Amino acid sequence: AFQPQPYWMIKVGLDIGSGKPLEVEWSKEKSFDQGEAHNAIQQVRFAAGCYVVNVESQQKELHRPVGMNTVQLLKTCSTGLGMGPGKAMKVAENLYTSGYMSYPRTETTKYPPSFNVTEILEEHAKHPVWGKTAQWVLRQHGGHVNPPTGGKDVGDHPPITPTKYATKEDFTKNSEWRLYETVVRHFIASFMPNMVYTETTAHLSIGTEQFKFTTHHVQDRGFTFVQAWRYKDLHLNDEESLGPQPPQLFAGQTMRVMNGQLLQSYTEPPSYLKESDLIALMDQNGIGTDASIPQHIQNICERQYVVIPGSE
């Protein structure tokens, strides 16, 4: 059985002249050695100040999605909509038979070269929710969008795409609208730029202990403009969390230590496996197919081998 283990963390606030302490992170993050942690906090409390050793910046990218296949649809429905794979496939099949989206059972993520992307985007350019984004994509490509070359073609059905324009009022069930919206947003996102941002880390020295402060500056929101949850999942320390004028630290800078705390906490048991993680693991290990994965998961739920809290 799991036994919680104590560990210690150090919380430090620096004076940057704003009146509000700048909280920085201990480079070790945590220590399971109480003596080591105690010595570290003593270094902080008796240090003359904090010294910025160096500042490093690195540009990073979050790549836009490729075409949506069944596994991606099931994972997104589980994570974002709280909709189990059995219900997700039932809803998707209803949308398919009603003409709102393409066939939902496919392993392919690469659009066919002949696929008419422009026609679908033009239809959605007048949509009240994502119409302006579709218009922007069309303008960026001079009015004609070619299918991207990324993704994988396994020779079955093409990726899942919207096939008919619809608004929320066209659906009698909220689950149908939410899944339709998910498919359309993924489709539009697959033709948008990657998200580009810069991660800047200041390495700090307080006594003999090392700390760091990391900020993020977004150059291009890219596809996350239409898939906002992908942006939130990054948990960036950006202008939204730090304010319009985030602290600018530079090498050689010195600051006064305003406060230092030694905090004790305990380890927690590993998180339960998420349904979306189970779907991904089954796909990676060849357990079931895009058609049978929902049934496998439904079977183990009905037999009460597992419980999925919050799932429809």
Side-chain angles (χ1 to χ4, degrees):
F2 175 80
Q3 295 293 328
Q5 300 295 321
Y7 65 89
W8 290 264
M9 301 177 294
I10 294 178
K11 183 177 179 181
V12 172
L14 303 177
D15 183 4
I16 56 172
S18 64
K20 181 181 177 181
L22 176 68
E23 294 189 358
V24 296
E25 181 183 358
W26 192 22
S27 293
K28 295 177 182 177
E29 296 185 3
K30 60 187 176 184
S31 175
F32 290 91
D33 185 334
Q34 185 177 12
E36 178 186 49
H38 179 77
N39 291 335
I41 194 63
Q42 291 300 101
Q43 286 287 329
V44 169
R45 288 171 177 167
F46 291 101
C50 173
Y51 176 77
V52 181
V53 180
N54 60 26
V55 179
E56 298 176 332
S57 292
Q58 180 182 6
Q59 191 173 83
K60 296 189 173 185
E61 279 190 79
L62 181 64
H63 291 277
R64 68 185 182 186
V66 292
M68 175 179 274
N69 63 8
T70 305
V71 169
Q72 183 59 51
L73 173 66
L74 297 179
K75 288 168 58 180
T76 303
C77 286
S78 176
T79 303
L81 307 182
M83 190 183 298
K87 177 166 184 177
M89 286 310 303
K90 184 177 180 180
V91 173
E93 286 166 354
N94 288 341
L95 292 175
Y96 166 65
T97 56
S98 301
Y100 289 108
M101 59 180 271
S102 62
Y103 190 62
R105 296 184 185 274
T106 178
E107 296 180 28
T108 293
T109 57
K110 183 176 182 178
Y111 296 109
S114 59
F115 185 64
N116 195 336
V117 179
T118 304
E119 183 179 8
I120 300 177
L121 287 173
E122 286 177 341
E123 188 176 24
H124 283 270
K126 58 181 182 288
H127 199 279
V129 179
W130 49 73
K132 290 184 178 179
T133 306
Q135 293 172 25
W136 182 89
V137 174
L138 287 165
R139 287 198 305 270
Q140 292 299 305
H141 291 82
H144 180 77
V145 184
N146 292 316
T149 57
K152 183 179 180 181
D153 183 1
V154 300
D156 55 354
H157 297 276
I160 301 167
T161 62
T163 53
K164 184 166 68 174
Y165 173 97
T167 62
K168 189 174 184 179
E169 289 70 29
D170 293 313
F171 300 98
T172 56
K173 297 180 180 178
N174 188 49
S175 58
E176 293 181 341
W177 160 249
R178 292 167 71 207
L179 194 146
Y180 175 78
E181 179 184 20
T182 297
V183 169
V184 177
R185 286 184 178 277
H186 186 105
F187 175 75
I188 296 174
S190 68
F191 306 106
M192 297 180 72
N194 296 338
M195 177 188 165
V196 181
Y197 63 98
T198 300
E199 181 176 87
T200 300
T201 301
H203 298 276
L204 318 168
S205 178
I206 304 177
T208 59
E209 292 301 314
Q210 305 302 308
F211 292 80
K212 60 184 178 180
F213 178 69
T214 302
T215 58
H216 300 93
H217 174 67
V218 179
Q219 282 85 29
D220 190 345
R221 286 279 301 252
F223 75 92
T224 65
F225 189 79
V226 74
Q227 287 189 315
W229 62 89
R230 296 288 304 277
Y231 184 88
K232 293 178 181 177
D233 287 346
L234 292 173
H235 302 291
L236 300 183
N237 201 21
D238 58 5
E239 288 87 347
E240 291 184 13
S241 56
L242 294 171
Q245 294 183 322
Q248 300 293 323
L249 305 184
F250 56 88
Q253 182 179 2
T254 58
M255 291 164 284
R256 181 176 67 89
V257 178
M258 294 182 69
N259 55 63
Q261 292 178 282
L262 182 63
L263 305 175
Q264 181 179 351
S265 190
Y266 290 86
T267 55
E268 297 180 353
S271 300
Y272 290 116
L273 187 69
K274 295 180 181 178
E275 188 177 38
S276 57
D277 296 331
L278 175 60
I279 294 168
L281 286 169
M282 291 176 71
D283 181 51
Q284 291 168 13
N285 292 278
I287 302 174
T289 65
D290 56 339
S292 65
I293 285 176
Q295 188 61 50
H296 287 318
I297 295 178
Q298 184 175 335
N299 288 342
I300 62 175
C301 289
E302 290 177 349
R303 294 166 187 170
Q304 298 184 352
Y305 296 150
V306 298
V307 175
I308 308 176
S311 180
E312 295 185 19

